[in-house]
Amino acid sequence: MPDLINSPKISIVGGKSLQLATELGISSVALDDCDLALFLVSATDGIVSADLENWRHARELYIPSLVIICDLLTSEIDFEDMSAIASKMLDPVVTPFLVLHSDAGTPAALINLETLKVIDYTQKSPVERPADPEHIELVAEFRAEYLEALLDTGEESFQAGLMFPAIPWIEGTRMGLDQIAPYLNQVPVLG
């Protein structure tokens, strides 16, 4: 989790913000006072107008922002589709991870598009392993888009509030929390 001595002030916007704050072990501050914003986007409810206004305000302030896609277990819309919707309604997002599903159709693992490592959440503790060839083939187009976006926007684009990663979060599990946490210390602390 974040380094508490130098941790950024974080604003969590959207439904389930208290739950996410609790699961990350952080407190949320007002958007105007934050160094980093986490925007929760429900795959069930979509993006509400108040959150759109907050998004626009964060863009005016160049606040580094993550888009956290939640409610993936209760929605017919999957992570990739909701990321595409967020890209149209907010700003273009990038997806550093994609969700891999079990045979039963439930989220079981994430694949890191940069490293092609799979983080399997079906065990008591997450297990990281190399992706299977069929997974590599399945995500090849998404990976190419992601790596191109990183190249086009530059190394510091997230910290500058110009690139917006979308991360899946499966509530009540570590899936997503482990991927959000590294971003918490990537932004400069303003004061």
Side-chain angles (χ1 to χ4, degrees), residues 29-188:
V29 301
L31 191 59
D32 285 332
D33 299 327
C34 76
D35 302 308
L36 171 67
L38 307 179
F39 283 86
L40 282 157
V41 172
S42 170
T44 302
D45 301 328
I47 302 169
V48 298
S49 60
D51 293 344
L52 283 172
E53 288 303 316
N54 283 320
W55 181 266
R56 289 184 194 107
H57 186 62
R59 301 295 51 83
E60 291 168 2
L61 299 173
Y62 290 93
I63 297 170
S65 300
L66 290 175
V67 175
I68 311 300
I69 310 288
C70 62
D71 295 329
L72 292 165
L73 293 176
T74 58
S75 176
E76 292 184 23
I77 298 174
D78 66 12
F79 173 71
E80 291 82 9
D81 290 342
M82 199 64 222
S83 295
I85 292 168
S87 285
K88 289 180 178 159
M89 292 186 71
L90 304 173
D91 281 291
V93 301
V94 297
T95 53
F97 302 90
L98 292 179
V99 178
L100 300 176
H101 295 83
S102 69
D103 292 338
T106 58
L110 297 176
I111 185 167
N112 182 320
L113 294 182
E114 189 169 0
T115 66
L116 291 176
K117 298 278 186 183
V118 170
I119 307 102
D120 184 344
Y121 286 90
T122 60
Q123 307 300 313
K124 189 172 185 170
S125 296
V127 176
E128 186 175 273
R129 61 177 169 76
D132 296 331
E134 60 268 15
H135 292 140
I136 294 170
E137 184 177 328
L138 181 69
V139 303
E141 188 175 318
F142 292 101
R143 182 175 196 251
E145 289 175 16
Y146 174 65
L147 294 176
E148 183 178 330
L150 287 180
L151 188 62
D152 288 347
T153 59
E155 206 170 292
E156 302 293 317
S157 57
F158 167 70
Q159 294 88 338
L162 301 171
M163 181 181 74
F164 313 107
I167 307 291
W169 172 44
I170 307 300
E171 300 90 289
T173 73
R174 298 289 323 151
M175 191 181 296
L177 298 180
D178 295 329
Q179 290 67 40
I180 294 167
Y183 286 99
L184 302 184
N185 289 320
Q186 286 186 23
V187 296

